[in-house]
Amino acid sequence: MRLTDHHSLPEDLYSADAVREIDRYVIDQQGVDGFGLMQSAAAAVFRRLMQRWPEPRRLLVLCGAGNNGGDGYLVAAAAQRHGIPVDCVAVAPVEKLSGDARRAWQKACSDSVEVKDLQTLSASERDQHFTSASLIVDAMLGTGVAGAPREPFAEMIRRCQHSPAAVVAVDLPSGLNATTGAAPGDVIRADLTVTFIGLKAGLFTGQGPEACGALCFEALGTEPWLPHSGQMPIAHRIDWSVLQASLPRRPLTAHKGRFGHVLVVAGDRGFGGAGILAAEAAARSGAGLVTLATRPEHAAPALARCPSIMVQGLIHGSELPALVEAADVIVCGPGIGQSAWGQQMFQQVVASGKPRVLDADALNLMSSRVAVRDNDHILTPHPGEAARLLGCPVAEIEADRIKATAKLCEVYGGTVLLKGAGTVVGCEEASPAIVSGSNPGMATGGMGDVLAGIVGALYGQFGHPATAARMGAALHLAAAQRATLSKGYMGLLPTDVIDALPSVLAEAEQLNIHEGTAE
């Protein structure tokens, strides 16, 4: 979601069904005029698009058959009243319009908007509309559509994708599942999405962040009735700008034993960097002590990179228990492989019963065994690892990331951090959290190792797995965003994210500091 001010957005995320029920409650139980609500939505869209593009040359408004289409007709009417050239195309025949959507079409016509039926336009006429438009308003498919768009909507979506014009989506991009963030077919890639009444969870995970572009929220005056609607959020939105306020102040009498001893078990032959990245990330995230258990040949490079960590070179799993005994939290998995060495290390870690973060090959080893529930572990799978843990296709994970996270919690217990755009963090005792935002520069090897180290460090400091996972995922993204300012997306490396951690944490500390106090 580029250019989105996440701090200004509500935290509650709803399903598409819940938002429709809230809308119905406001109209039926509170007596709010439905057409008036639609007019407010259209006015909000028009205001937002004019703020972003103050002098649009020509608008193309694509309207569907439901209330989403009704919003579009009213946006076209607003443009016409303001003297902006507008082409309004009924992608769904106007004969299918009813209720408030039909009133919106009638209003557009009375305001001299020429509504053209898509079915009457030749291919060249359709080309002309898209060629002449400097801004396209997508008001085709709303929250009631969950599957792949059918024709002629699919054609219009593809035309939008190939058009150089900017696209504004009304409520959500057509083709995107508002609840899950899945896009089973063609989907609008908007530059701006203006969404109403309640934030939809699908805007923040899966394909949602890419499809939405910048996201604006308009409550349309419904805030007072939201708590009384009977609808509960299915997830909560989190980001570092909010979570950093809960970072505890360090007392002046602090010592290293107070902030956790993290043991990182990582780095079989050929994968030494994974352990080094995880260990240094833990050290940079506030862990009091960090020990890296790795292959002996990786010890010298690890100390050269980060001399503040303790490094032990291990040949056999039988050497690990003494290190495990001294640790408060264990991070296991980055680069351990699935050979005998990795299996031995994994077995020792699981047998210890210590609080742990399991990542990468630890999850792959876990997927080949009988599932054992544990309330103290944090699992950090990417979609492929999640699919192996649940024995299902990756597509099934991506089709509903919130549901997949809940299933992993049900089978394995503890806390699950499902990586990807719109990371989902779930546990059985609380509703899931979705990290607001994404960074394509993080799509490179080693970023997950850094995340595992961050989460392990926070687990050692806070002692609560869900808190550590939520804060760790948000901090990881915030550091990546900071590093991207100077490195860009394509050149971003995991070490850049590690290097950005101190400045991000320092800002949080400054917000929370109380001078002259001590514990």
Side-chain angles (χ1 to χ4, degrees):
M1 290 174 212
R2 299 169 181 86
L3 304 179
T4 298
D5 179 8
H6 297 283
H7 189 65
S8 67
L9 297 175
E11 294 183 7
D12 291 342
L13 303 178
Y14 295 90
S15 67
D17 289 342
V19 175
R20 286 195 296 273
E21 287 301 317
I22 294 169
D23 185 80
R24 186 175 293 114
Y25 171 82
V26 169
I27 294 171
D28 295 345
Q29 301 299 318
Q30 298 300 326
V32 175
D33 177 58
F35 186 65
L37 205 61
M38 184 175 287
Q39 288 178 309
S40 297
V45 173
F46 186 73
R47 182 180 70 254
R48 293 285 192 170
L49 72 83
M50 290 301 292
Q51 289 172 350
R52 181 81 178 268
W53 298 278
E55 297 180 356
R57 185 181 70 253
R58 190 176 195 89
L59 263 61
L60 171 61
V61 183
L62 305 172
C63 298
N67 285 346
N68 196 257
D71 295 337
Y73 286 117
L74 293 178
V75 170
Q80 182 76 11
R81 290 194 302 272
H82 284 77
I84 300 171
V86 57
D87 293 313
C88 185
V89 175
V91 182
V94 294
E95 292 78 14
K96 292 185 177 182
L97 297 174
S98 61
D100 292 333
R102 187 166 188 83
R103 287 183 65 187
W105 166 69
Q106 291 170 338
K107 171 65 174 170
C109 293
S110 68
D111 284 348
S112 303
V113 175
E114 182 182 357
V115 178
K116 300 174 182 177
D117 187 339
L118 177 67
Q119 302 305 316
T120 66
L121 298 177
S122 66
S124 61
E125 289 173 321
R126 297 179 186 188
D127 291 341
Q128 179 60 35
H129 282 312
F130 278 91
T131 301
S132 60
S134 64
L135 186 63
I136 300 171
V137 176
D138 163 34
M140 292 184 285
L141 301 174
T143 58
V145 180
R150 301 177 180 177
E151 298 296 353
F153 295 98
E155 179 199 340
M156 293 298 101
I157 292 172
R158 290 192 296 270
R159 284 180 175 270
C160 289
Q161 290 172 341
H162 292 100
S163 171
V167 178
V168 177
V170 176
D171 204 24
L172 79 158
S174 292
L176 182 73
N177 186 301
T179 301
T180 67
D186 295 301
V187 63
I188 286 288
R189 306 289 181 184
D191 297 277
L192 172 68
T193 296
V194 185
T195 195
F196 315 119
I197 299 179
L199 288 179
K200 294 83 179 165
L203 301 176
F204 293 88
T205 193
Q207 296 297 311
E210 174 67 19
C212 285
L215 180 67
C216 298
F217 174 67
E218 297 283 350
L220 306 182
T222 64
E223 305 98 310
W225 299 300
L226 210 60
H228 309 291
S229 66
Q231 300 304 310
M232 299 298 294
I234 62 170
H236 294 87
R237 186 189 62 81
I238 59 173
D239 64 66
W240 182 248
S241 66
V242 175
L243 292 182
Q244 65 180 347
S246 61
L247 194 69
R249 184 186 65 85
R250 291 198 165 194
L252 298 178
T253 55
H255 57 84
K256 61 188 176 185
R258 187 164 180 168
F259 303 114
H261 184 172
V262 178
L263 171 64
V264 177
V265 182
D268 198 356
R269 291 190 179 96
F271 301 101
I276 297 171
L277 290 170
E280 185 176 5
R284 287 294 192 183
S285 301
L289 292 166
V290 179
T291 297
L292 172 60
T294 187
R295 283 284 191 178
E297 56 264 40
H298 301 146
L303 290 170
R305 169 70 193 184
C306 189
S308 64
I309 66 174
M310 298 171 284
V311 185
Q312 292 289 329
L314 305 184
I315 297 174
H316 193 272
S318 60
E319 303 171 86
L320 190 59
L323 300 177
V324 168
E325 181 63 26
D328 298 307
V329 173
I330 306 168
V331 175
C332 178
I336 64 169
Q338 299 182 53
S339 66
W341 188 87
Q343 292 181 42
Q344 292 165 13
M345 299 300 162
F346 174 72
Q347 289 167 0
Q348 293 285 357
V349 169
V350 173
S352 74
K354 287 282 185 85
R356 55 194 176 273
V357 178
L358 299 180
D359 183 48
D361 279 321
L363 299 174
N364 292 326
L365 291 169
M366 193 179 214
S367 67
S368 64
R369 300 162 185 260
V370 176
V372 177
R373 289 174 53 85
D374 191 311
N375 291 331
D376 293 328
H377 63 206
I378 301 173
L379 311 183
T380 60
H382 58 55
E385 292 159 347
R388 286 189 284 275
L389 286 167
L390 293 178
C392 68
V394 174
E396 189 173 322
I397 302 294
E398 293 289 60
D400 193 335
R401 290 168 53 81
I402 298 174
K403 181 179 178 181
T405 302
K407 183 64 176 177
L408 286 165
C409 291
E410 177 187 333
V411 174
Y412 293 97
T415 299
V416 174
L417 188 162
L418 179 58
K419 293 182 283 197
T423 292
V424 183
V425 180
C427 60
E428 291 187 293
E429 63 266 24
S431 61
I434 298 178
V435 180
S436 190
S438 60
N439 185 318
M442 300 171 80
T444 189
M447 288 293 181
D449 306 324
V450 173
L451 175 62
I454 294 172
V455 172
L458 297 179
Y459 196 178
Q461 292 169 77
F462 302 138
H464 189 271
T467 299
R470 294 187 193 107
M471 291 195 72
L475 173 58
H476 186 228
L477 176 60
Q481 304 289 47
R482 176 68 56 82
T484 300
L485 295 176
S486 59
K487 304 294 184 180
Y489 294 133
M490 293 180 66
L492 193 67
L493 292 176
T495 49
D496 299 324
V497 177
I498 294 173
D499 292 342
L501 285 169
S503 63
V504 174
L505 289 169
E507 288 179 2
E509 289 172 332
Q510 289 301 312
L511 287 174
N512 302 329
I513 196 168
H514 300 285
E515 291 189 25
T517 62
E519 293 183 4

